[in-house]
Amino acid sequence: MAGIFGLGVPELVIILIIALIIFGPRKLPQIGEAIGKAIAGFKRSTEEVEKKVQSEFEEIEKGIKN
């Protein structure tokens, strides 16, 4: 079963172990928090763009119907 980005559980465990070795257990939570904030910001931006595009399409539809 493929998980995130087509990676399964064994691959994710290996990546986590490598990250622990490289960054250490003290830095890993900080890195995770930063990545989480970045993903949340990206999601917010994507939703804003989606709303803007949707409103533009609605304006075009109104113009076509009139």
Side-chain angles (χ1 to χ4, degrees), residues 51-66:
K51 287 178 185 177
K52 179 71 173 171
V53 169
Q54 184 65 32
S55 68
E56 292 295 326
F57 277 129
E58 289 172 1
E59 289 295 320
I60 291 171
E61 278 184 0
K62 287 179 186 176
I64 291 173
K65 289 181 181 179
N66 291 333

Side-chain angles (χ1 to χ4, degrees), residues 19-37:
L20 277 170
I21 292 169
I22 292 173
F23 299 112
R26 291 190 179 143
K27 279 282 193 190
L28 212 52
Q30 295 170 352
I31 293 169
E33 181 181 1
I35 290 172
K37 286 181 181 180

Side-chain angles (χ1 to χ4, degrees), residues 2-47:
I4 301 171
F5 303 114
L7 298 174
V9 174
E11 291 88 358
L12 292 174
V13 169
I14 290 172
I15 291 170
L16 179 61
I17 291 171
I18 291 171
L20 277 170
I21 292 169
I22 292 173
F23 299 112
R26 291 190 179 143
K27 279 282 193 190
L28 212 52
Q30 295 170 352
I31 293 169
E33 181 181 1
I35 290 172
K37 286 181 181 180
I39 291 172
F42 179 74
K43 184 177 178 183
R44 268 192 306 274
S45 298
T46 303
E47 289 171 352

